Amino acid sequence: MALLAVKGLTFTYPDGISPALADIDFEADEGEFVVICGRSGCGKSTLLRHFKTVLAPHGKREGRVYFSGRELSEVGQREQTSEIGFVFQNPDNQIVTDKVWHELAFGLESLGLSPPLIRLRTAEMASFFGIGDWYHRSVFELSGGQKQILNLAAVMAMKPRVLIMDEPTSQLDPIAASHFLATAKKVNDELGTTILLSEHRLEEALPLADRVTVMSRGTIIAEDTPARVGRALMDAGDPMLHAMPAPIRIYLSIEGAAAESCPVTVREGRSYLRERMRGKIADEDRREGARAESRTVDQTNRESAVLLKDVWFRYGKDEPDILRGLSLQVKYGELCCIVGGNGSGKTTALRAISGILKPYRGRVSAGGLNASTATHTELFRQGLGVLPQDAKTMFTRKTIREDMSDLPQSDEESIRRVAALTEIEHLLERHPYDVSEGEQQRASLAKVLLNEPKILLLDEPTKGMDSFFKQKFARVLSKLKAEGAAILMVSHDIEFCAEYADRCALLFDGAVVSEGAPRDFFAGNSFYTTTANRMCGDLFPGAVTAEEVMRRCDARS
Amino acid sequence: MKRTDAFSTYHPIIGFLYFAFVILETAFFLHPVLLVISFASAMAYSIYLNGRRAVRFNLLMVLPLMLLAAVINPAFNHEGVTILGYIRDNPITLESILYGVAAAAMIGAVIIWFSCYNAVMTSDKFIYLFGRIIPSLSLILSMALRFIPAYKAQIVRIADAQRGIGRDISSGKLSARARSGLSILSVMVTWALESAIETADSMKARGYGLRGRTAYALYRFDGRDRLLLAFMVCGFALLLFAGGVRILSVQYFPAFSVNDTGFGVCLFYVVHAVICNIPLAADIREDFIWRSLRSKA
């Protein structure tokens, strides 16, 4: 008997024309780890929220939801609270109290457990998740990844039988995200908790799953084991295939109709490809590949838009240095990506260029001005535009249109132009907080574009974007580039940088340690590189994107 | 750097009762001997707690305030029988000077005791104590303490983002700055409500609103708490008794008179001194234990 099940669930939001969920049948067995994926707005969150009565959205509903053989509406609130755990997307907003210990105890207090029992349960959870040494800390001292682990632990303290997580890693950087997913796997393996997880980051999540459910437009279009789901998507001809991890895509493109069970991890992909390509790649070929043509445009004679020369920065005299002699140059008409781990100084570098932080040594110039001495208005007139990490911070008005016309240089015509470019025409009259996160990101980009920026600084722009919008976003960037803008992007998204950047720089310990065209850059790294390159780097040196690997395989077979 | 304070590790109710009693006692007995003891003890404990910062605070903030209090009283209060002289036909009396000095010592001691209270009774302890009286209040306070820093951080992020698109609230015309400042505040309200929806979901999902909610706290009332509480209560009772039967009496007007210095009175001075130095004694005892532990090792 399935632990959780829905039968014939159809759901329509009060203002919706078409149903958000259409005739869904879904089951999850006790102890199963199910990953639910699909592009933004496909109905993942709506489905997940139906598994807990207090979270179920308002609207027109048909069909039934079952928990442990009973209809969910007959399961009492107290039982639902402890048996069905829910972790939300935003690490900050779901934290209620100010101290870690209080947060861990919150659910148990609601259930009315006695203080000694609460003490035991919080102690157990703190040890299980290895967060014992945070116990007395304030929650705002924690990083985003730590907060999300705390949220998970706070839910697990109630000993739920099923754990539902709605894109829990979308706000986290890749290291924190993989730590979070590994922790979720540990919960599943060691406590036997059933897990339903919706995710964008399939490269990490897919190998953990027992079963993958793919949704599109409110229906389930494929449901199978991770190794077989790719085949099902290929047969359905669904674009979600492009969101699958590189090993699956490469395998399917090679095998085509003969495909069966796909390799899911880098390790499986490597051994498959080595077997498949045995004897087909001569040494000559490899050397050929190593001399791969670089796609950098010759930029020696272009003017530099942003120039950092031996920049040193720290927040206070007694604080540690964050930038340690950083030198970097971005030219007009080029997309430069800065990659690197947390705390390597990426965001600090952006803030120094935009003049918010002033370095104590070295020189920063943007558009010919000294960024440390020029006022923001002067920098802005030189065409500097900054897109912050949190798109919400860009809006101060009641509708997106009002927000845009608030800027001095905007008029009807220019608003129409940028709205068309970012595809937000239909959203102009909406409140900026009422649109989805991806749409907020587009609207804030539109706001920056109004000024026709010549120097565009982007902080983690692809965070939380699904793979479809990333492609769209890349098109917008290349259009800007063609118009001669310089784009500097700070990102954790290695796959995106490999595909679209003209130049990548790896920041570590406050300085650039390696720099080059993405091909040379990523091919030269063995760990900090794309999945495709980790999988095929020894066979096809210089092939950093899955598409490139597929092309080369095609040429061989 | 903050030193580890042994008194802070006792149960919150101990700290609260202790400071409540000591501060009230200091404020109501204007007895010179008691004030001197209280002032000196508060000073010593605050320096133990906050080190150099306390010395600076006591010298720069408390001392001027005390001087002011000591000067103001004889300047405006002309009661008393011992006239020392006249300023513009106003008598300056010995009694009013003495009273001014006592009031200054009282004010200084109370302020310094409060600074110690602040260091010992952290927000968690306060929330815990009031949570025992009104359980929902403790949660509200805890949530408020979580939200305020989050709001502050968001305001800074919004202001930075607005600068990035050319709307700088730190420069430009005053009217424009005020307008963009206001729009940031208004969007903050929206942001706060928006994030509160998710917080509310998270609270509901974890059963907030079910009947019979308990309040968990880290504090345990154990043996040493009981011992200290009993000791404190005895001391308080003795001093209250002394106050009740007017053994420790003092009179400033019309003429200054203080109780006799009999054996009984001295005993109460000692009791008062012991009470005032409980925290320091706890600390010194612990320091001593640590030193002896280290020398054995």
Side-chain angles (χ1 to χ4, degrees):
Chain A
M1 184 190 61
L3 182 64
L4 269 180
V6 295
K7 292 216 166 67
L9 184 68
T10 299
F11 176 80
T12 315
Y13 281 102
D15 55 351
I17 310 147
S18 55
L21 296 175
D23 197 23
I24 298 265
D25 287 307
F26 175 85
E27 276 187 4
D29 288 324
E30 183 100 54
E32 228 183 345
F33 193 133
V34 184
V35 168
I36 300 179
C37 57
R39 51 193 299 184
S40 295
C42 69
K44 302 186 292 266
S45 303
T46 313
L47 175 63
L48 290 181
R49 281 177 164 258
H50 273 93
F51 291 118
K52 202 155 164 130
T53 309
V54 287
L55 298 178
H58 297 286
K60 208 161 91 28
R61 183 182 354 261
E62 280 163 48
R64 288 165 200 283
V65 183
Y66 296 95
F67 173 69
S68 182
R70 280 174 296 159
E71 229 178 284
L72 189 66
S73 52
E74 284 161 21
V75 181
Q77 287 315 312
R78 192 169 293 271
E79 196 181 339
Q80 281 195 28
T81 297
S82 76
E83 305 265 276
I84 306 172
F86 209 106
V87 176
F88 300 82
Q89 199 175 56
N90 189 312
D92 277 293
N93 293 348
Q94 53 184 315
I95 291 180
V96 180
T97 61
D98 63 330
K99 289 279 151 88
V100 169
W101 63 264
H102 201 178
E103 195 59 27
L104 286 172
F106 183 84
L108 304 170
E109 289 180 329
S110 300
L111 293 171
L113 265 54
S114 67
L117 194 53
I118 295 180
R119 192 181 300 273
L120 170 65
R121 290 273 195 91
T122 55
E124 274 188 308
M125 278 308 124
S127 323
F128 183 81
F129 289 100
I131 58 174
D133 48 344
W134 308 349
Y135 200 63
H136 292 276
R137 281 207 219 158
S138 288
V139 290
F140 24 82
E141 289 169 33
L142 305 180
S143 70
Q146 291 176 323
K147 280 179 188 161
Q148 203 62 314
I149 295 280
L150 169 63
N151 289 320
L152 177 61
V155 166
M156 288 309 297
M158 292 183 284
K159 292 191 185 167
R161 280 169 76 190
V162 55
L163 179 63
I164 300 172
M165 298 191 273
D166 188 6
E167 292 191 18
T169 67
S170 72
Q171 310 275 318
L172 309 184
D173 67 77
I175 309 289
S178 63
H179 177 58
F180 182 87
L181 291 173
T183 311
K185 182 68 181 163
K186 180 172 142 122
V187 167
N188 179 250
D189 281 343
E190 294 179 16
L191 306 178
T193 314
T194 309
I195 293 185
L196 260 59
L197 169 76
S198 78
E199 257 300 331
H200 275 315
R201 248 181 259 259
L202 295 176
E203 312 253 345
E204 302 266 356
L206 225 52
L208 310 176
D210 296 315
R211 192 149 54 85
V212 183
T213 301
V214 187
M215 290 183 67
S216 174
R217 293 163 197 268
T219 56
I220 292 176
I221 51 168
E223 194 166 28
D224 216 323
T225 59
R228 291 174 176 279
V229 75
R231 176 69 209 249
L233 284 173
M234 190 172 74
D235 292 344
D238 194 273
M240 259 311 280
L241 185 60
H242 299 296
M244 289 288 136
I248 295 187
R249 267 149 64 208
I250 293 170
Y251 170 86
L252 288 174
S253 94
I254 295 173
E255 299 295 333
E260 274 178 52
S261 175
C262 304
V264 180
T265 60
V266 167
R267 191 190 63 186
E268 288 164 9
R270 263 177 98 101
S271 58
Y272 155 75
L273 205 63
R274 199 165 293 188
E275 193 63 31
R276 190 72 171 69
M277 291 287 139
R278 178 168 295 167
K280 288 190 182 162
I281 300 178
D283 284 350
E284 190 65 23
D285 259 358
R286 289 198 195 189
R287 252 172 275 132
E288 188 75 32
R291 269 186 266 116
E293 69 290 356
S294 173
R295 73 169 148 112
T296 2
V297 203
D298 178 36
Q299 276 152 343
T300 38
N301 48 9
R302 291 200 195 197
E303 210 186 323
S304 66
V306 174
L307 189 67
L308 284 91
K309 190 109 185 69
D310 302 322
V311 173
W312 291 70
F313 176 82
R314 58 182 173 224
Y315 279 97
K317 191 159 181 300
D318 301 326
E319 309 269 326
D321 281 314
I322 298 180
L323 300 180
R324 304 163 150 268
L326 173 67
S327 297
L328 186 76
Q329 188 177 18
V330 188
K331 298 191 166 169
Y332 285 111
E334 141 180 89
L335 168 57
C336 176
C337 289
I338 303 184
V339 296
N342 279 340
S344 58
K346 302 192 304 290
T347 301
T348 310
L350 272 199
R351 288 160 70 85
I353 299 168
S354 59
I356 289 174
L357 302 178
K358 319 249 181 260
Y360 69 95
R361 197 184 299 154
R363 216 177 99 78
V364 183
S365 68
L369 289 176
N370 184 339
S372 326
T373 53
T375 66
H376 294 288
T377 330
E378 283 169 354
L379 283 171
F380 181 67
R381 279 204 207 99
Q382 281 301 307
L384 182 77
V386 187
L387 188 68
Q389 214 176 103
D390 182 0
K392 271 187 185 165
T393 57
M394 290 288 281
F395 307 108
T396 55
R397 291 301 159 122
K398 287 198 178 60
T399 66
I400 294 174
R401 184 191 294 280
E402 224 179 281
D403 219 300
M404 293 213 267
S405 42
D406 207 30
L407 294 176
Q409 64 291 339
S410 72
D411 52 63
E412 275 302 304
E413 173 52 35
S414 58
I415 291 179
R416 204 169 317 131
R417 186 178 53 82
V418 295
L421 191 63
T422 52
E423 301 175 32
I424 54 161
E425 294 111 319
H426 58 294
L427 303 170
L428 283 176
E429 306 308 328
R430 303 266 293 272
H431 191 285
Y433 284 16
D434 283 344
V435 300
S436 77
E437 213 148 314
E439 290 165 340
Q440 273 174 7
Q441 215 134 14
R442 272 187 276 165
S444 59
L445 182 65
K447 228 181 138 174
V448 174
L449 295 184
L450 266 181
N451 185 38
E452 295 175 11
K454 288 276 155 285
I455 302 165
L456 186 56
L457 307 179
L458 308 167
D459 194 356
E460 297 282 356
T462 58
K463 188 164 151 184
M465 276 187 194
D466 65 17
S467 55
F468 300 94
F469 188 68
K470 274 185 200 171
Q471 292 172 8
K472 234 183 253 175
F473 177 67
R475 282 200 293 277
V476 174
L477 291 189
S478 57
K479 188 143 182 284
L480 281 173
K481 227 168 55 178
E483 288 165 4
I487 307 173
L488 179 63
M489 174 174 147
V490 155
S491 184
H492 279 301
D493 191 341
I494 296 176
E495 314 283 330
F496 185 89
C497 298
E499 216 164 326
Y500 302 108
D502 296 312
R503 203 150 50 84
C504 292
L506 175 64
L507 215 60
F508 178 73
D509 198 21
V512 172
V513 289
S514 130
E515 190 181 354
R519 269 186 103 99
D520 314 326
F521 177 81
F522 288 114
N525 296 353
S526 48
F527 168 70
Y528 206 87
T529 179
T530 58
T531 316
N533 190 42
R534 266 180 289 153
M535 184 173 138
C536 321
D538 49 346
L539 293 176
F540 305 118
V544 290
T545 64
E547 281 65 31
E548 229 169 319
V549 173
M550 290 179 207
R551 255 201 320 280
R552 296 242 210 134
C553 288
D554 277 349
R556 299 282 158 259
S557 51
Chain B
M1 194 202 72
K2 215 166 170 179
R3 295 173 83 157
T4 45
D5 170 43
F7 187 66
S8 300
T9 62
Y10 282 91
H11 194 271
I13 192 73
I14 302 258
F16 186 77
L17 285 179
Y18 177 78
F19 283 111
F21 182 83
V22 171
I23 289 171
L24 287 177
E25 191 220 8
T26 307
F28 284 118
F29 285 106
L30 271 175
H31 193 288
V33 179
L34 299 189
L35 279 176
V36 165
I37 293 171
S38 180
F39 185 81
S41 317
M43 190 79 130
Y45 186 43
S46 79
I47 291 171
Y48 185 91
L49 281 175
N50 293 332
R52 208 179 272 171
R53 223 155 38 103
V55 177
R56 207 162 44 209
F57 174 78
N58 295 348
L59 282 179
L60 295 182
M61 301 288 293
V62 183
L63 199 66
L65 210 65
M66 287 170 66
L67 285 175
L68 195 70
V71 171
I72 278 180
N73 195 59
F76 290 96
N77 183 350
H78 308 295
E79 283 178 66
V81 292
T82 321
I83 295 169
L84 298 176
Y86 288 88
I87 294 177
R88 290 193 180 181
D89 295 340
N90 285 322
I92 301 297
T93 63
L94 177 66
E95 285 76 16
S96 72
I97 288 176
L98 286 177
Y99 188 77
V101 170
M106 185 270 279
I107 290 171
V110 167
I111 292 176
I112 298 173
W113 276 123
F114 263 113
S115 76
C116 298
Y117 170 90
N118 257 338
V120 172
M121 297 296 291
T122 52
S123 61
D124 321 19
K125 291 187 184 175
F126 181 78
I127 289 170
Y128 165 73
L129 285 175
F130 281 81
R132 298 304 292 254
I133 307 165
I134 314 168
S136 57
L137 190 71
S138 86
L139 181 65
I140 290 170
L141 283 172
S142 172
M143 288 175 73
L145 284 175
R146 144 126 198 75
F147 281 135
I148 292 164
Y151 291 170
K152 271 196 204 153
Q154 182 71 5
I155 288 180
V156 171
R157 278 200 292 269
I158 293 179
D160 279 354
Q162 298 302 319
R163 272 190 214 174
I165 48 171
R167 267 197 303 178
D168 190 357
I169 53 158
S170 58
S171 67
K173 264 190 255 153
L174 189 67
S175 61
R177 276 159 63 183
R179 218 182 15 249
S180 46
L182 273 180
S183 66
I184 288 179
L185 280 186
S186 92
V187 85
M188 268 307 295
V189 175
T190 320
W191 181 83
L193 291 176
E194 177 85 7
S195 47
I197 293 175
E198 246 183 296
T199 309
D201 272 347
S202 156
M203 289 170 76
K204 274 191 286 179
R206 284 187 281 160
Y208 187 70
L210 291 175
R211 290 167 69 97
R213 189 180 160 80
T214 48
Y216 173 63
L218 294 178
Y219 307 105
R220 266 172 300 188
F221 195 84
D222 49 26
R224 65 191 192 117
D225 292 310
R226 230 165 282 143
L227 208 68
L228 185 61
L229 184 66
F231 185 72
M232 269 165 47
V233 167
C234 290
F236 295 168
L238 277 174
L239 288 171
L240 284 177
F241 166 76
V245 300
R246 301 199 162 271
I247 298 176
L248 296 169
S249 67
V250 63
Q251 193 186 351
Y252 287 91
F253 303 106
F256 179 77
S257 83
V258 78
N259 52 268
D260 305 327
T261 49
F263 172 73
V265 175
C266 287
L267 189 73
F268 283 112
Y269 291 161
V270 170
V271 171
H272 176 73
V274 168
I275 289 289
C276 284
N277 284 296
I278 285 177
L280 207 56
D283 279 326
I284 289 169
R285 179 171 157 267
E286 199 135 293
D287 286 347
F288 184 75
I289 291 173
W290 278 108
R291 204 159 305 139
S292 75
L293 281 176
R294 208 174 310 150
S295 63
K296 269 179 219 150

